Amino acid sequence: QVQLVESGGGLVQTGGSLRLSCAASGRTFAMGWFRQTPGKEREFVAAISWTGSNTVYADSVKGRFTISRNNAENTLYLQMNSLKPEDTAVYYCAARRTVVADYSDAYDYWGQGTQVTVSS
């Protein structure tokens, strides 16, 4: 069983930065970040393979967000720069035991989410 715990969310002004972390217990392979706002479906943000050699980003965050991981510490990160009000959402960490995927149904394990609010 894999448990995921996110941290690092908060309130930031437009153009600011935040770094999300996700501490994982148990063996994972590919991991990803998703986000969700009320009334909308969960949206893919970024994903990374076990080695970190393969990363995938949603078009809306390319060039602004960077996903990374530290396998020695079993931690996933999302560095978010140049934040916009439309980035406001609950951000979820997810893990699966196979290759990278960009859709939520592919992931087996989920964290509880962390709120990110970007003020205009």
Side-chain angles (χ1 to χ4, degrees):
Q1 187 71 13
V2 175
Q3 292 185 326
L4 305 171
V5 179
E6 303 96 334
S7 61
L11 174 64
V12 64
Q13 291 186 335
T14 296
S17 297
L18 280 175
R19 188 194 197 201
L20 304 183
S21 299
C22 173
S25 64
R27 177 63 187 266
T28 61
F29 195 71
M31 298 187 75
W33 289 99
F34 291 77
R35 65 188 182 187
Q36 189 170 24
T37 55
K40 293 189 177 182
E41 291 189 356
R42 197 164 291 186
E43 174 191 20
F44 170 75
V45 175
I48 188 168
S49 61
W50 168 253
T51 63
S53 61
N54 184 18
T55 57
V56 182
Y57 294 93
D59 288 343
S60 58
V61 306
K62 277 181 184 176
R64 300 189 299 122
F65 291 11
T66 302
I67 189 170
S68 62
R69 64 192 298 167
N70 183 329
N71 289 337
E73 297 184 354
N74 229 9
T75 304
L76 176 73
Y77 301 101
L78 184 68
Q79 178 67 45
M80 305 186 294
N81 299 329
S82 302
L83 282 161
K84 306 175 182 180
E86 51 264 43
D87 294 318
T88 295
V90 177
Y91 283 71
Y92 296 91
C93 169
R96 65 192 306 241
R97 289 200 171 123
T98 55
V99 299
V100 168
D102 63 359
Y103 57 102
S104 59
D105 286 350
Y107 288 79
D108 304 305
Y109 305 100
W110 292 87
Q112 83 289 349
T114 186
Q115 176 71 46
V116 171
T117 303
V118 184
S119 63
S120 57

